[in-house]
């Protein structure tokens, strides 16, 4: 899978199935079940390390997990998160992104409107996925796990940030916990590939945290997640059911949206 293939899927209206992934065994399972994109998310701070947020994850840990995922996947497009602080300046973001690309990532993801960093990465040949709406690295600044862009000013800011990030060269955009109508407008009016998580059914693709969709995260399951292990006889089947539900438009429904 290449970035051009994902852009072609957006053009064709074919939904893109994305899951977070942190190791080789799950990468192989996801790939065999038809997942298009694996996101080595810094959510591993919560799912694997048991922390209450993603802020303590280091660049070395992200590179380590990226190498594992790359070892287990031959076809999937692999996106790796720049962890908290590793993109504090554009120059630092470039050095951090190079470490993740050296570990095998095809694209790096960074949170918020860091257009200068995006521009520098793209100028240096590194594809970038942006992330707007609820951005977990800003959980304290945002006052908790809250839907973003509900009022007109908040929605306008997210839309304008998306435009700025596209102009800076970002090719993909994760939209997390925003109203479905806002995500639909961004997905239709902007060229970046949009991947939603709690952003309604109109995004070009969907992502879930692997541990949420398998129902194995001990914490509270977010409203936008669905446990695909329910009724499945294996993890492979659960992941294949997730892929099928995303591709057919059966997931997410209004019940998973805001
Ligand atoms: O770290 C992560 O898993 C993410 C997803 C929630 C999109 O950024």
């Amino acid at each position: 899978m290449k970035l051009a293939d994902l852009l072609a899927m957006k053009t064709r209206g074919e939904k893109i199935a994305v899951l977070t992934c942190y190791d080789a065994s799950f990468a192989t399972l996801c790939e065999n079940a038809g997942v298009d994109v694996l996101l080595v998310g810094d959510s591993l701070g919560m799912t694997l390390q048991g922390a209450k947020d993603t802020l303590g994850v280091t660049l070395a840990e992200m590179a380590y997990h990226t190498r594992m995922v790359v070892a287990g996947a031959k076809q999937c497009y692999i996106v790796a998160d720049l962890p908290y602080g590793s993109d504090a300046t554009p120059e630092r973001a470039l050095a951090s992104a190079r470490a993740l690309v050296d570990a095998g990532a095809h694209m790096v993801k960074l949170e918020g409107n860091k257009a200068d960093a995006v521009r520098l990465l793209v100028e240096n040949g590194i594809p970038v996925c942006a992330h707007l709406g609820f951005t977990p690295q800003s959980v304290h600044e945002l006052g908790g796990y809250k839907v973003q862009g509900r009022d007109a000013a908040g929605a306008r800011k997210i839309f304008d940030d998306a435009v700025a990030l596209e102009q800076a060269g970002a090719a993909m955009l994760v939209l997390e916990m925003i109203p479905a109508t806002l995500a639909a407008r961004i997905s239709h009016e902007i060229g970046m590939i949009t991947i939603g998580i709690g952003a309604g059914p109109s995004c070009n693709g969907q992502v879930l945290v692997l541990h949420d969709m398998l129902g194995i995260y001990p914490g509270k399951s977010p409203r936008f997640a669905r446990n695909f292990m329910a009724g499945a006889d294996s993890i492979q089947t659960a992941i294949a059911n997730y892929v099928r539900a995303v591709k057919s438009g059966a997931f997410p429904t209004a019940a998973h949206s805001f």
Side-chain angles (χ1 to χ4, degrees), residues 9 13 52 67 85 96 118 126 131 147 154 181 199 235 241 246 249:
M9 287 169 81
K52 63 180 186 338
R67 273 195 300 278
S96 305
V118 171
I126 301 177
H131 185 159
V147 179
T181 47
I235 290 175
N241 288 346
V246 169

Side-chain angles (χ1 to χ4, degrees), residues 5-90:
D5 300 319
L6 298 170
L7 283 164
M9 287 169 81
K10 174 178 171 105
T11 306
R12 286 198 302 273
E14 184 185 336
K15 298 284 185 186
I16 299 165
V18 186
L19 276 178
T20 69
C21 191
Y22 319 107
D23 69 29
S25 301
F26 274 103
T28 304
L29 270 177
C30 287
E31 182 158 286
N32 290 342
V35 175
D36 301 302
V37 178
L38 297 175
L39 169 63
V40 189
D42 61 357
S43 51
L44 66 84
M46 299 168 78
T47 54
L48 302 191
Q49 298 175 344
K52 63 180 186 338
D53 56 43
T54 62
L55 302 184
V57 177
T58 66
L59 181 63
E61 288 165 349
M62 290 307 301
Y64 172 71
H65 286 279
T66 300
R67 273 195 300 278
M68 290 194 239
V69 170
V70 169
K74 303 284 167 271
Q75 303 295 330
C76 290
Y77 193 73
I78 296 169
V79 182
D81 264 344
L82 288 173
Y84 178 71
S86 73
D87 55 2
T89 64

Side-chain angles (χ1 to χ4, degrees), residues 170-182:
M172 197 183 282
L173 173 64
V174 167
L175 292 169
E176 180 163 356
M177 284 175 71
I178 65 169
T181 47
L182 175 60

Side-chain angles (χ1 to χ4, degrees), residues 3 18 37 39 77-82 87 106-112 118 121-122 126-132 165 169-175 192-195 207:
L3 182 54
V18 186
V37 178
L39 169 63
Y77 193 73
I78 296 169
V79 182
D81 264 344
L82 288 173
D87 55 2
H106 300 126
M107 173 181 260
V108 301
K109 176 164 83 59
L110 46 75
E111 296 185 7
V118 171
L121 266 55
V122 173
I126 301 177
V128 177
C129 176
H131 185 159
L132 293 174
L165 288 160
M172 197 183 282
L173 173 64
V174 167
L175 292 169
M192 288 183 288
I193 298 160
T194 59
I195 305 294
V207 60

